[in-house]
Amino acid sequence: MSNKIPDNVDKSCGCLIEDLLTKSEDSKCTGQPENSDYNKRERIMVDPDVEKISLDFYQKKFTDGLPIIPPTRSRVNKFYQYSKGDPQEVMAILPPLQGKATREKIAVNGVMAGCLPHFMPLLEKAVMGLGDEKFNLAGVNSTTHPVAVCTIINGPVRNELEFNSKSGCLGPGNLPNATIGRAIRFCLINIAGAVPGIGDHSTMGSSSKYSYCFAENEEKSPWEPLNVERNILADSGAVTLLGMEAAHNVNDHRSQNASDLLDTIIHTAATPGCNNSHVPGELLVIMSPEHARTISDEGWEKKDVKKYIHQHAVVPVNLADRGGRKLDEIWCKENMVPITRKIDDVVIVVAGGPGRHTMLAHGFGTSCESVTLPLD
Amino acid sequence: MSNKIPDNVDKSCGCLIEDLLTKSEDSKCTGQPENSDYNKRERIMVDPDVEKISLDFYQKKFTDGLPIIPPTRSRVNKFYQYSKGDPQEVMAILPPLQGKATREKIAVNGVMAGCLPHFMPLLEKAVMGLGDEKFNLAGVNSTTHPVAVCTIINGPVRNELEFNSKSGCLGPGNLPNATIGRAIRFCLINIAGAVPGIGDHSTMGSSSKYSYCFAENEEKSPWEPLNVERNILADSGAVTLLGMEAAHNVNDHRSQNASDLLDTIIHTAATPGCNNSHVPGELLVIMSPEHARTISDEGWEKKDVKKYIHQHAVVPVNLADRGGRKLDEIWCKENMVPITRKIDDVVIVVAGGPGRHTMLAHGFGTSCESVTLPLD
Amino acid sequence: MKVNLVEKEVMDPLAESGQKNILLNDIPSPVHQISFFDNTKPGADIILNLLKTRLKQMDVIESKKPAGAAASKSQLEKAAEGDVSILALGDCGSCTTWVILDAIRLEKEGVPTLSICSHKFTPFARKLAQAHGAPNLRIVEIAHPIAGLDPEKVKEKTNFIIPEIEKILYNAD
Amino acid sequence: MKVNLVEKEVMDPLAESGQKNILLNDIPSPVHQISFFDNTKPGADIILNLLKTRLKQMDVIESKKPAGAAASKSQLEKAAEGDVSILALGDCGSCTTWVILDAIRLEKEGVPTLSICSHKFTPFARKLAQAHGAPNLRIVEIAHPIAGLDPEKVKEKTNFIIPEIEKILYNAD
């Protein structure tokens, strides 16, 4: 195959403006015209070539490798219309590289990711959450572990912005889910310095670092949603940021009662390889409406489910103590260690469409606490 | 927040060509001019507005929600330069909707995803692999399970096309990994009919449905690479397609010998919630170079590792038999069921950068067999 | 100066279907022998067993097939021994797919079929059948969900659809 | 007609650093009391124990901190009891980050520090220190990997770096 690839194919030329000019005699590619002859002609400002900008920004390590919307000033200005205050105001300082997350930088990264202008207030709030000390973004960004930022949306904003909380909500196919998750990743790369292989040392990385944002299916949940559980009024929207691995599946079609179903879940959750086994911390449990209904039909409240999982998801100490940081004895009881420190480390949301599945995501362990912020 | 969102913001207007025109008196947006006055003027063909096309295609459910490169004929023609034969030739029929995967449709979806033209031969081969009956794309696409197509690249093509096989290889940051994984998803959506919520019924979906493509780190592997193991000459590149969940982590910094490390792996792999527990099948084990070295330094060959994992990754039958399809007794032994049917169901590749992690992905179970095709 | 910028056209990523229509088989009158094709999904056996008690005048051939994957050749041959084959249950994505695709395989072998799918997956089942050249494939809708339910509830839901199934099977009378 | 299409400029997504430089502390001469700040990563204890046997004329204060996260206030106070603090081990992303960031916290408290990082993570450690206003933070490189190795191999690697550490600690003499 090697002889098929010219050295310069689409990668270094920067001349794709030629594509724009089909009938003009002049196909010289000069973004910044300098000769006087050139300047006598009629100039028409056009949007930058998307292929060229995408490749240029990729080569500068500003992107994930996928196409971006060129962040022209006019596009960025549209985002400001949905924001309040000075574009140069610093909303957060993001570690490890202590980047100043100004409104301007948030908007530029949001445009690139494909966000719509009215997502701006939510983006600002998410970035502010990332700067919360308890989130330990310095560790989350730089670790060899495949932890990503998982963003969960609650409240009326879910429907106003048309988030997906149903079939396929963790995956592609919905613009707000896809672009907001991606914009957060771009902020991590370009503001916090989490460039893969440079400021992000994830040994293998994770698909969830492309985009990992979804809404809770509050309409189909038998329980109070996450924002309410965290003392935010149901009328307010909320954005929750968690440091999580990609979610993996618990297929249970056969359990007809709560404890059987929860046993499938806890035995899938309690594994020695996750970070929670040696540095117990948060566990995200994303339950489908059908699974949640099987459990709630027996009268279980959300707190009962959290308590059951906290008490029963335990790993033998000899298998658990294999992570980077030494397992602290304070967590252990009778040679077993629970993968969560406390009941509220079990974070339960209901999401998804038809089907009998729960998805689990292990956290980064003791070193990252989720953050929930109310939306205005 | 609701009062901030005008009904027409960037979503239905289709008039973003206005952005293109800054000094022209005429900002009327008419892609197909019809009045004669209009036609007297100078017409200049420009690339379609990327925001408009991305939104238009998104609303038609052709995309993942992220920006695309507009698939103009000139861009698609560039892809043909790296292909052989008639653009209308059918390379595969993709179920469930029995779409005809012609070269043209593969190229259009590849352009949209952000692929470079010289990726075309690899894209064609990948799509042909998806059409292999044993892959059961009909089931993989339509299931409520979060299975995605995982694409692994071997051989010289890894370096020729500049794939990432090192730090962050499963995640964003590398153009070939990102765009080829995404192009495959676009082919599933637009050719096979796997539109989320319509032909793809995944209850929650998965981030790995955005993009899930990486190369094996053959240079740092102590063992033969996947293509060689599958009887393809090392000099040929190969593309392997697997039906897999998103990978999750096995953090093991402390094991100093093979069996300790493998014990952490098998106890993380053997869970009741995965499909493999009730319909045993393939398990993908992505081992970091450091983990692989710990094992190989004791003289373990790849086949020894596969055998050990096959024999020891077992789940108690009472927990295992909870999936959709009834667990078949033929797999069970002494009330335990192995999550793989045979040694070769354990698919091992070495990938990633520095760090002591292995990542595991459970398969779709008995109903999907991976496909490896040589590249020319 | 007047200039019109005209956007280039974009190409369509959607593929055409590669499938031609197939002929469906009529249900014989009377049906002597009926085959029940159980894909082992939870509740499929309950639905089929209840149906068996209601179709007393027919001999029942029972056979199994995998959910989420194609029936093997021998499984298909056994199911084809009936005058009609009833397939259950399509109540998820991949199991619905392979209920429909195996029904179509049976139709191609000359066996009339009737597939039972839950209502959440029936629209997909019909679209799938159409894409595979069988827009009129017989599909009976049962209320979703079936899995995870008490057997009594599954029987209740089955009782709702039995008249429709009887109508199809005895229609030729 | 001549027309020039000129592309609009794009804006820069990269943020500026919000950090001002900090002052680093000199190593006193002589060092009476040294603090070892062990982040519990595999091998950190081996490195520090071997170092202890070589720095006989100094009192050693041993304390622990989490890998991948900030030291608690009391952990930091204990580590600050030394004339100098040696932090080990940065041999992964998050542990390197918090070796460096805790070293910087100690420097801000007036304690000179020396951080031990594996060579695969040292470039990142230096970039991080710079971003946090401490481009000259003392970082000693040890050969990667450390985790997963036999203790004897870790000692071997440690012996390579002891002269450099001694030079830093006795330099002021």
Side-chain angles (χ1 to χ4, degrees):
Chain A
M1 187 177 265
S2 58
N3 58 347
K4 292 184 189 167
I5 310 162
D7 286 342
N8 63 344
V9 169
D10 284 338
K11 299 191 78 172
S12 55
C13 164
C15 291
L16 291 175
I17 193 168
E18 287 178 309
D19 286 348
L20 284 166
L21 297 163
T22 52
K23 293 186 179 176
S24 165
E25 288 171 43
D26 186 347
S27 66
K28 189 177 165 191
C29 64
T30 312
Q32 301 295 331
E34 287 183 303
N35 66 61
S36 59
D37 193 52
Y38 185 98
N39 285 323
K40 282 177 195 157
R41 300 171 187 168
E42 181 73 9
R43 287 177 60 177
I44 297 180
M45 300 301 290
V46 295
D47 207 49
D49 181 83
V50 59
E51 261 184 298
K52 191 179 73 172
I53 293 293
S54 293
L55 285 170
D56 180 44
F57 275 33
Y58 165 65
Q59 284 168 332
K60 289 174 177 161
K61 297 194 178 293
F62 295 167
T63 80
D64 50 12
L66 300 176
I68 55 163
I69 301 289
T72 55
R73 183 163 291 281
S74 57
R75 289 199 172 102
V76 172
N77 283 342
K78 283 189 194 164
F79 278 53
Y80 294 156
Q81 290 168 20
Y82 294 89
S83 185
K84 298 165 193 150
D86 181 0
Q88 298 311 322
E89 189 183 338
V90 177
M91 312 299 287
I93 299 277
L94 299 189
L97 293 194
Q98 303 300 90
K100 288 195 276 189
T102 59
R103 282 200 181 82
E104 176 185 289
K105 296 301 178 186
I106 295 169
V108 171
N109 282 284
V111 168
M112 287 165 55
C115 288
L116 302 180
H118 58 290
F119 298 172
M120 184 65 181
L122 204 158
L123 281 183
E124 287 178 9
K125 209 44 91 75
V127 170
M128 287 164 71
L130 293 174
D132 191 318
E133 204 167 281
K134 72 176 181 175
F135 195 78
N136 184 18
L137 189 62
V140 167
N141 271 335
S142 61
T143 179
T144 55
H145 182 267
V147 59
V149 173
C150 174
T151 305
I152 302 177
I153 311 296
N154 278 102
V157 70
R158 292 171 311 121
N159 298 321
E160 289 162 13
L161 299 191
E162 299 180 26
F163 279 97
N164 182 13
S165 62
K166 304 191 181 74
S167 286
C169 60
L170 289 178
N174 177 276
L175 190 141
N177 294 37
T179 62
I180 289 174
R182 189 191 196 203
I184 289 169
R185 175 57 46 190
F186 281 0
C187 289
L188 296 180
I189 292 174
N190 295 315
I191 301 177
V195 178
I198 295 175
D200 170 355
H201 295 279
S202 191
T203 301
M204 285 97 163
S206 169
S207 290
S208 55
K209 292 191 177 196
Y210 283 101
S211 186
Y212 198 3
C213 173
F214 66 100
E216 184 164 4
N217 192 341
E218 298 177 13
E219 291 78 2
K220 289 288 177 73
S221 173
W223 301 309
E224 75 279 12
L226 185 61
N227 57 330
V228 174
E229 200 190 339
R230 295 190 169 190
N231 298 316
I232 291 169
L233 292 177
D235 290 349
S236 294
V239 55
T240 299
L241 303 147
L242 312 93
M244 288 290 151
E245 286 197 52
H248 62 284
N249 200 44
V250 183
N251 180 344
D252 188 327
H253 276 70
R254 293 184 189 270
S255 294
Q256 291 171 22
N257 60 61
S259 63
D260 281 356
L261 176 50
L262 289 172
D263 282 347
T264 320
I265 292 172
I266 59 165
H267 287 288
T268 306
T271 58
C274 66
N275 259 23
N276 296 51
S277 69
H278 62 281
V279 277
E282 290 176 338
L283 171 75
L284 176 61
V285 180
I286 310 167
M287 216 173 263
S288 73
E290 290 179 29
H291 268 184
R293 183 61 65 190
T294 294
I295 294 170
S296 72
D297 276 353
E298 289 184 23
W300 291 57
E301 294 297 332
K302 199 178 188 184
K303 66 176 189 303
D304 304 325
V305 181
K306 289 168 59 157
K307 187 175 174 186
Y308 187 93
I309 293 175
H310 168 63
Q311 289 178 333
H312 292 86
V314 295
V315 180
V317 166
N318 67 321
L319 281 170
D321 185 20
R322 299 188 172 191
R325 181 167 160 188
K326 184 76 185 156
L327 173 61
D328 194 322
E329 283 175 10
I330 58 165
W331 308 119
C332 309
K333 202 154 77 180
E334 293 166 13
N335 281 319
M336 300 297 277
V337 55
I339 63 171
T340 48
R341 296 159 301 184
K342 55 187 191 294
I343 290 172
D344 278 341
D345 274 351
V346 180
V347 180
I348 297 180
V349 292
V350 173
R356 296 191 66 76
H357 299 272
T358 284
M359 291 189 69
L360 296 175
H362 290 108
F364 186 48
T366 316
S367 311
C368 176
E369 302 270 347
S370 63
V371 174
T372 298
L373 292 176
L375 296 168
D376 302 327
Chain B
M1 188 178 263
S2 58
N3 58 348
K4 292 185 188 169
I5 310 162
D7 286 342
N8 62 345
V9 169
D10 285 22
K11 299 191 79 171
S12 54
C13 163
C15 291
L16 291 176
I17 193 167
E18 286 179 309
D19 285 348
L20 284 165
L21 297 163
T22 52
K23 294 185 179 175
S24 164
E25 287 172 43
D26 185 347
S27 67
K28 188 177 165 191
C29 63
T30 312
Q32 301 295 328
E34 287 183 303
N35 67 58
S36 58
D37 193 49
Y38 185 99
N39 285 323
K40 282 178 193 156
R41 299 172 186 170
E42 181 72 9
R43 287 178 59 177
I44 297 181
M45 301 300 290
V46 294
D47 207 50
D49 181 83
V50 59
E51 262 185 298
K52 190 179 74 173
I53 294 293
S54 294
L55 285 170
D56 180 45
F57 275 33
Y58 165 65
Q59 282 166 334
K60 288 174 176 161
K61 297 193 179 296
F62 295 167
T63 79
D64 49 13
L66 299 177
I68 56 163
I69 301 289
T72 55
R73 183 162 292 282
S74 57
R75 290 200 171 103
V76 171
N77 284 341
K78 283 188 194 165
F79 277 53
Y80 294 157
Q81 290 168 20
Y82 294 88
S83 184
K84 298 165 192 149
D86 181 0
Q88 298 310 322
E89 189 184 338
V90 177
M91 312 299 287
I93 299 276
L94 299 189
L97 293 193
Q98 303 301 90
K100 289 195 275 190
T102 59
R103 282 198 182 81
E104 177 184 289
K105 296 301 179 186
I106 295 169
V108 171
N109 282 284
V111 168
M112 286 164 56
C115 287
L116 302 180
H118 59 290
F119 299 172
M120 184 64 182
L122 203 158
L123 280 183
E124 286 177 9
K125 208 45 88 75
V127 170
M128 286 164 71
L130 293 174
D132 190 320
E133 202 167 283
K134 72 176 180 175
F135 195 79
N136 184 18
L137 189 62
V140 167
N141 271 336
S142 61
T143 178
T144 54
H145 183 267
V147 60
V149 173
C150 174
T151 306
I152 301 177
I153 311 295
N154 279 103
V157 71
R158 292 172 312 122
N159 297 321
E160 289 162 13
L161 299 191
E162 300 180 26
F163 279 98
N164 183 14
S165 62
K166 303 189 182 75
S167 286
C169 60
L170 289 178
N174 178 275
L175 189 141
N177 294 37
T179 62
I180 289 174
R182 189 190 195 203
I184 289 169
R185 175 57 44 191
F186 281 1
C187 289
L188 296 179
I189 291 173
N190 295 314
I191 301 177
V195 178
I198 295 174
D200 169 354
H201 295 279
S202 191
T203 300
M204 285 98 164
S206 170
S207 289
S208 54
K209 292 191 177 196
Y210 283 101
S211 186
Y212 197 3
C213 173
F214 67 101
E216 184 165 3
N217 192 342
E218 297 177 14
E219 291 77 3
K220 289 288 177 73
S221 173
W223 301 308
E224 75 279 11
L226 184 61
N227 56 331
V228 174
E229 200 190 341
R230 294 190 169 190
N231 298 316
I232 291 169
L233 292 177
D235 291 350
S236 295
V239 56
T240 299
L241 303 147
L242 310 96
M244 288 289 151
E245 285 197 52
H248 62 284
N249 200 44
V250 184
N251 179 345
D252 189 326
H253 276 70
R254 294 183 189 271
S255 294
Q256 291 170 22
N257 59 62
S259 63
D260 281 357
L261 176 50
L262 289 171
D263 281 348
T264 320
I265 292 172
I266 59 166
H267 286 288
T268 306
T271 58
C274 67
N275 260 23
N276 296 53
S277 70
H278 62 280
V279 277
E282 290 176 338
L283 171 73
L284 176 61
V285 180
I286 309 166
M287 217 173 263
S288 74
E290 291 179 29
H291 269 184
R293 183 61 65 188
T294 293
I295 294 170
S296 71
D297 276 353
E298 290 184 23
W300 290 57
E301 294 296 332
K302 199 178 188 183
K303 66 175 188 307
D304 304 324
V305 181
K306 290 167 58 157
K307 187 175 173 185
Y308 188 92
I309 293 173
H310 168 62
Q311 288 178 334
H312 292 87
V314 296
V315 180
V317 165
N318 68 320
L319 282 170
D321 186 19
R322 298 188 173 191
R325 182 166 161 189
K326 184 76 186 154
L327 172 63
D328 193 322
E329 284 175 10
I330 59 165
W331 308 119
C332 309
K333 203 154 76 180
E334 292 165 13
N335 280 320
M336 300 296 276
V337 54
I339 63 171
T340 49
R341 297 159 301 185
K342 55 187 191 294
I343 290 171
D344 278 340
D345 274 351
V346 181
V347 180
I348 296 181
V349 291
V350 173
R356 295 191 66 76
H357 298 272
T358 285
M359 291 189 70
L360 297 175
H362 290 108
F364 186 48
T366 316
S367 310
C368 176
E369 301 271 346
S370 63
V371 174
T372 298
L373 292 176
L375 296 169
D376 303 326
Chain C
M1 188 181 71
K2 303 268 184 185
V3 172
N4 285 314
L5 298 186
V6 179
E7 295 195 336
K8 294 182 193 173
E9 289 204 22
V10 289
M11 294 176 73
D12 183 359
L14 274 194
E16 286 169 21
S17 174
Q19 190 67 45
K20 292 203 177 75
N21 274 10
I22 63 163
L23 284 176
L24 296 183
N25 302 286
D26 290 335
I27 299 207
S29 170
V31 176
H32 294 292
Q33 203 162 240
I34 193 158
S35 107
F36 283 175
F37 214 3
D38 176 348
N39 70 351
T40 79
K41 284 280 294 192
D45 53 348
I46 300 169
I47 295 167
L48 291 171
N49 282 336
L50 185 57
L51 207 51
K52 191 174 174 179
T53 65
R54 298 287 291 268
L55 302 173
K56 285 187 193 118
Q57 61 276 64
M58 301 179 191
D59 288 340
V60 173
I61 301 163
E62 291 177 275
S63 59
K64 289 191 177 170
K65 69 172 275 333
S72 69
K73 211 181 151 196
S74 63
Q75 288 170 331
L76 208 72
E77 278 167 5
K78 177 141 193 226
E81 287 172 14
D83 302 335
V84 178
S85 183
I86 297 188
L87 299 91
L89 169 74
D91 70 339
C92 69
S94 58
C95 62
T96 300
T97 297
W98 279 108
V99 159
I100 297 304
L101 297 184
D102 279 336
I104 288 171
R105 288 167 77 198
L106 285 167
E107 294 279 358
K108 285 180 181 168
E109 297 293 324
V111 183
T113 63
L114 191 159
S115 302
I116 302 175
C117 296
S118 74
H119 80 280
K120 293 264 187 191
F121 291 91
T122 304
F124 171 64
R126 294 196 200 286
K127 190 172 176 188
L128 187 71
Q130 185 164 21
H132 286 262
N136 298 317
L137 194 77
R138 295 172 200 91
I139 300 170
V140 173
E141 248 180 77
I142 191 166
H144 189 87
I146 298 299
L149 293 188
D150 183 273
E152 285 311 309
K153 283 195 186 152
V154 177
K155 284 181 193 166
E156 216 171 275
K157 292 183 177 192
T158 307
N159 277 324
F160 269 103
I161 63 165
I162 284 180
E164 186 184 349
I165 294 173
E166 287 178 329
K167 196 175 158 196
I168 293 169
L169 291 177
Y170 299 124
N171 205 23
D173 283 357
Chain D
M1 189 182 68
K2 303 270 183 183
V3 173
N4 285 314
L5 297 185
V6 178
E7 294 194 336
K8 294 183 193 172
E9 289 204 22
V10 289
M11 294 176 74
D12 183 0
L14 275 194
E16 287 170 21
S17 174
Q19 191 67 44
K20 291 203 178 75
N21 274 10
I22 62 162
L23 283 176
L24 296 184
N25 302 286
D26 290 334
I27 298 207
S29 170
V31 175
H32 295 292
Q33 203 161 242
I34 193 158
S35 106
F36 283 174
F37 214 4
D38 176 348
N39 71 350
T40 79
K41 284 280 294 191
D45 53 348
I46 299 169
I47 294 168
L48 292 171
N49 282 336
L50 186 56
L51 206 52
K52 190 174 175 180
T53 66
R54 297 288 291 270
L55 303 173
K56 285 186 193 120
Q57 60 276 63
M58 300 179 192
D59 288 340
V60 173
I61 300 163
E62 293 177 272
S63 59
K64 289 190 178 173
K65 68 174 271 343
S72 70
K73 209 181 154 196
S74 63
Q75 288 169 332
L76 208 71
E77 278 166 5
K78 179 143 190 223
E81 287 172 13
D83 301 336
V84 178
S85 183
I86 298 187
L87 298 91
L89 169 74
D91 69 338
C92 71
S94 58
C95 61
T96 300
T97 297
W98 279 108
V99 159
I100 298 303
L101 297 185
D102 279 337
I104 288 171
R105 288 168 76 199
L106 284 169
E107 294 279 358
K108 285 180 180 167
E109 297 293 323
V111 182
T113 64
L114 192 160
S115 302
I116 302 175
C117 295
S118 75
H119 79 280
K120 294 263 189 192
F121 291 92
T122 304
F124 171 63
R126 293 195 201 286
K127 191 173 175 186
L128 187 70
Q130 185 163 23
H132 285 264
N136 298 316
L137 194 77
R138 295 172 200 91
I139 299 170
V140 173
E141 248 181 78
I142 190 165
H144 189 88
I146 298 298
L149 294 188
D150 183 273
E152 286 310 310
K153 283 194 187 153
V154 177
K155 284 181 193 166
E156 218 172 273
K157 292 184 177 191
T158 307
N159 277 323
F160 269 103
I161 63 164
I162 284 182
E164 187 185 347
I165 294 174
E166 286 178 329
K167 198 175 155 192
I168 293 169
L169 291 178
Y170 298 125
N171 205 22
D173 284 358

